[in-house]
Amino acid sequence: MIQLRAVRTLALPDWCIAAGFVRNRVWDHLHGIVPAREPVDIDVLYFDAGDLSRERESEHERRLAVLLPGLPWQVRNQARMHVWKELPPHRDTADAMIHWLETVTAVGVRLEDDESLTVVAPLGTDDLLGLRCRPTAFGRTRLDEYEARIAAKRWREMWPRVRFLE
């Protein structure tokens, strides 16, 4: 919750903490790993079509580093992520997430002003909670990248109960 509260102070549009931070915490919990492993990074997503600069992302990372020093913040404006994937512009953060490689990574959480949580999961949470990893429709067009990512991150070794599908 402390990370969510820190990001909320930035008042970013259409934001959430997502990807590996959420996936790893859920899978660690479902595998009985207590405490959860330290995050490799904390993926903060937001959508601001009015400012596509990498400098703004770096500014947000610096602000978060002041609020919670020593954490591996990674802030990315999803309004610019379509460029390197050679896709049409994304409509919002959720739309950007459906163009990730695997369904279990396309899950994010936002802390609202009233302290309620909003789950941003355009592809649902069934795979994440059911310990299934499979490619998104986009990922099926890049199966080599999908498999390489799973191998490089050692997910099969880290979470042996997860079923990996193609």
Side-chain angles (χ1 to χ4, degrees), residues 41-56:
D41 55 22
I42 302 172
D43 298 289
V44 177
L45 315 179
Y46 70 102
F47 192 91
D48 182 359
D51 184 350
L52 302 179
S53 70
R54 175 67 183 109
E55 293 77 21
R56 179 71 65 197

mmCIF file of all heavy atoms in Angstrom, residues 41-56:
data_model
loop_
_atom_site.group_PDB
_atom_site.id
_atom_site.type_symbol
_atom_site.label_atom_id
_atom_site.label_comp_id
_atom_site.label_asym_id
_atom_site.label_seq_id
_atom_site.Cartn_x
_atom_site.Cartn_y
_atom_site.Cartn_z
ATOM 1 N N ASP A 41 11.428 -4.295 -10.145
ATOM 2 C CA ASP A 41 11.053 -2.924 -10.459
ATOM 3 C C ASP A 41 9.597 -2.714 -10.049
ATOM 4 O O ASP A 41 8.873 -3.671 -9.800
ATOM 5 C CB ASP A 41 11.278 -2.567 -11.935
ATOM 6 C CG ASP A 41 10.574 -3.519 -12.891
ATOM 7 O OD1 ASP A 41 9.602 -4.193 -12.487
ATOM 8 O OD2 ASP A 41 10.975 -3.588 -14.056
ATOM 9 N N ILE A 42 9.232 -1.473 -9.933
ATOM 10 C CA ILE A 42 7.855 -1.102 -9.630
ATOM 11 C C ILE A 42 7.348 -0.342 -10.847
ATOM 12 O O ILE A 42 7.718 0.809 -11.077
ATOM 13 C CB ILE A 42 7.757 -0.254 -8.346
ATOM 14 C CG1 ILE A 42 8.358 -1.018 -7.166
ATOM 15 C CG2 ILE A 42 6.291 0.123 -8.079
ATOM 16 C CD1 ILE A 42 8.478 -0.199 -5.893
ATOM 17 N N ASP A 43 6.533 -1.040 -11.636
ATOM 18 C CA ASP A 43 6.056 -0.500 -12.903
ATOM 19 C C ASP A 43 4.865 0.420 -12.676
ATOM 20 O O ASP A 43 3.774 -0.038 -12.342
ATOM 21 C CB ASP A 43 5.642 -1.639 -13.832
ATOM 22 C CG ASP A 43 6.808 -2.547 -14.162
ATOM 23 O OD1 ASP A 43 7.694 -2.103 -14.909
ATOM 24 O OD2 ASP A 43 6.835 -3.691 -13.668
ATOM 25 N N VAL A 44 5.083 1.705 -12.868
ATOM 26 C CA VAL A 44 4.026 2.701 -12.755
ATOM 27 C C VAL A 44 3.630 3.098 -14.173
ATOM 28 O O VAL A 44 4.461 3.564 -14.951
ATOM 29 C CB VAL A 44 4.497 3.943 -11.974
ATOM 30 C CG1 VAL A 44 3.402 5.003 -11.926
ATOM 31 C CG2 VAL A 44 4.959 3.552 -10.575
ATOM 32 N N LEU A 45 2.362 2.887 -14.482
ATOM 33 C CA LEU A 45 1.834 3.228 -15.795
ATOM 34 C C LEU A 45 0.913 4.428 -15.659
ATOM 35 O O LEU A 45 0.225 4.570 -14.646
ATOM 36 C CB LEU A 45 1.012 2.074 -16.370
ATOM 37 C CG LEU A 45 1.566 0.665 -16.280
ATOM 38 C CD1 LEU A 45 0.584 -0.301 -16.895
ATOM 39 C CD2 LEU A 45 2.915 0.569 -16.935
ATOM 40 N N TYR A 46 0.890 5.243 -16.686
ATOM 41 C CA TYR A 46 -0.098 6.313 -16.757
ATOM 42 C C TYR A 46 -0.318 6.628 -18.223
ATOM 43 O O TYR A 46 0.391 6.120 -19.102
ATOM 44 C CB TYR A 46 0.326 7.545 -15.953
ATOM 45 C CG TYR A 46 1.485 8.330 -16.525
ATOM 46 C CD1 TYR A 46 1.271 9.520 -17.223
ATOM 47 C CD2 TYR A 46 2.794 7.901 -16.346
ATOM 48 C CE1 TYR A 46 2.338 10.241 -17.736
ATOM 49 C CE2 TYR A 46 3.859 8.617 -16.861
ATOM 50 C CZ TYR A 46 3.626 9.785 -17.546
ATOM 51 O OH TYR A 46 4.687 10.500 -18.064
ATOM 52 N N PHE A 47 -1.324 7.451 -18.503
ATOM 53 C CA PHE A 47 -1.629 7.797 -19.889
ATOM 54 C C PHE A 47 -1.818 9.298 -19.991
ATOM 55 O O PHE A 47 -2.765 9.853 -19.453
ATOM 56 C CB PHE A 47 -2.898 7.075 -20.359
ATOM 57 C CG PHE A 47 -3.104 7.151 -21.838
ATOM 58 C CD1 PHE A 47 -2.584 6.170 -22.666
ATOM 59 C CD2 PHE A 47 -3.792 8.199 -22.410
ATOM 60 C CE1 PHE A 47 -2.747 6.229 -24.040
ATOM 61 C CE2 PHE A 47 -3.967 8.276 -23.786
ATOM 62 C CZ PHE A 47 -3.447 7.282 -24.599
ATOM 63 N N ASP A 48 -0.885 9.935 -20.703
ATOM 64 C CA ASP A 48 -0.954 11.381 -20.917
ATOM 65 C C ASP A 48 -0.519 11.679 -22.350
ATOM 66 O O ASP A 48 0.679 11.812 -22.632
ATOM 67 C CB ASP A 48 -0.059 12.105 -19.918
ATOM 68 C CG ASP A 48 -0.137 13.616 -20.063
ATOM 69 O OD1 ASP A 48 -0.866 14.125 -20.948
ATOM 70 O OD2 ASP A 48 0.538 14.316 -19.276
ATOM 71 N N ALA A 49 -1.493 11.756 -23.253
ATOM 72 C CA ALA A 49 -1.201 12.016 -24.665
ATOM 73 C C ALA A 49 -0.671 13.432 -24.893
ATOM 74 O O ALA A 49 -0.099 13.718 -25.941
ATOM 75 C CB ALA A 49 -2.452 11.779 -25.513
ATOM 76 N N GLY A 50 -0.823 14.304 -23.907
ATOM 77 C CA GLY A 50 -0.375 15.684 -24.047
ATOM 78 C C GLY A 50 1.102 15.892 -23.771
ATOM 79 O O GLY A 50 1.638 16.959 -24.069
ATOM 80 N N ASP A 51 1.781 14.896 -23.194
ATOM 81 C CA ASP A 51 3.210 15.029 -22.896
ATOM 82 C C ASP A 51 3.858 13.660 -23.064
ATOM 83 O O ASP A 51 3.820 12.830 -22.163
ATOM 84 C CB ASP A 51 3.441 15.552 -21.484
ATOM 85 C CG ASP A 51 4.915 15.801 -21.187
ATOM 86 O OD1 ASP A 51 5.781 15.403 -21.990
ATOM 87 O OD2 ASP A 51 5.203 16.380 -20.122
ATOM 88 N N LEU A 52 4.446 13.430 -24.221
ATOM 89 C CA LEU A 52 5.044 12.130 -24.537
ATOM 90 C C LEU A 52 6.539 12.074 -24.233
ATOM 91 O O LEU A 52 7.216 11.126 -24.628
ATOM 92 C CB LEU A 52 4.803 11.800 -26.014
ATOM 93 C CG LEU A 52 3.340 11.767 -26.463
ATOM 94 C CD1 LEU A 52 3.245 11.442 -27.950
ATOM 95 C CD2 LEU A 52 2.539 10.786 -25.636
ATOM 96 N N SER A 53 7.048 13.040 -23.500
ATOM 97 C CA SER A 53 8.490 13.120 -23.275
ATOM 98 C C SER A 53 8.977 12.079 -22.266
ATOM 99 O O SER A 53 8.325 11.804 -21.260
ATOM 100 C CB SER A 53 8.878 14.518 -22.791
ATOM 101 O OG SER A 53 8.393 14.732 -21.478
ATOM 102 N N ARG A 54 10.138 11.545 -22.539
ATOM 103 C CA ARG A 54 10.800 10.636 -21.601
ATOM 104 C C ARG A 54 11.241 11.421 -20.357
ATOM 105 O O ARG A 54 11.306 10.869 -19.265
ATOM 106 C CB ARG A 54 11.997 9.971 -22.303
ATOM 107 C CG ARG A 54 12.841 9.096 -21.409
ATOM 108 C CD ARG A 54 12.086 7.849 -20.941
ATOM 109 N NE ARG A 54 12.900 7.073 -20.037
ATOM 110 C CZ ARG A 54 12.672 6.963 -18.729
ATOM 111 N NH1 ARG A 54 11.663 7.556 -18.154
ATOM 112 N NH2 ARG A 54 13.475 6.233 -17.977
ATOM 113 N N GLU A 55 11.501 12.700 -20.532
ATOM 114 C CA GLU A 55 11.927 13.537 -19.413
ATOM 115 C C GLU A 55 10.859 13.603 -18.328
ATOM 116 O O GLU A 55 11.170 13.613 -17.135
ATOM 117 C CB GLU A 55 12.283 14.950 -19.894
ATOM 118 C CG GLU A 55 13.514 15.016 -20.779
ATOM 119 C CD GLU A 55 13.271 14.548 -22.213
ATOM 120 O OE1 GLU A 55 12.102 14.541 -22.684
ATOM 121 O OE2 GLU A 55 14.258 14.147 -22.865
ATOM 122 N N ARG A 56 9.591 13.654 -18.726
ATOM 123 C CA ARG A 56 8.503 13.706 -17.747
ATOM 124 C C ARG A 56 8.475 12.409 -16.930
ATOM 125 O O ARG A 56 8.291 12.425 -15.726
ATOM 126 C CB ARG A 56 7.157 13.942 -18.426
ATOM 127 C CG ARG A 56 5.993 13.983 -17.463
ATOM 128 C CD ARG A 56 5.977 15.213 -16.610
ATOM 129 N NE ARG A 56 5.778 16.339 -17.492
ATOM 130 C CZ ARG A 56 6.018 17.590 -17.190
ATOM 131 N NH1 ARG A 56 6.438 17.916 -15.998
ATOM 132 N NH2 ARG A 56 5.828 18.552 -18.056
#
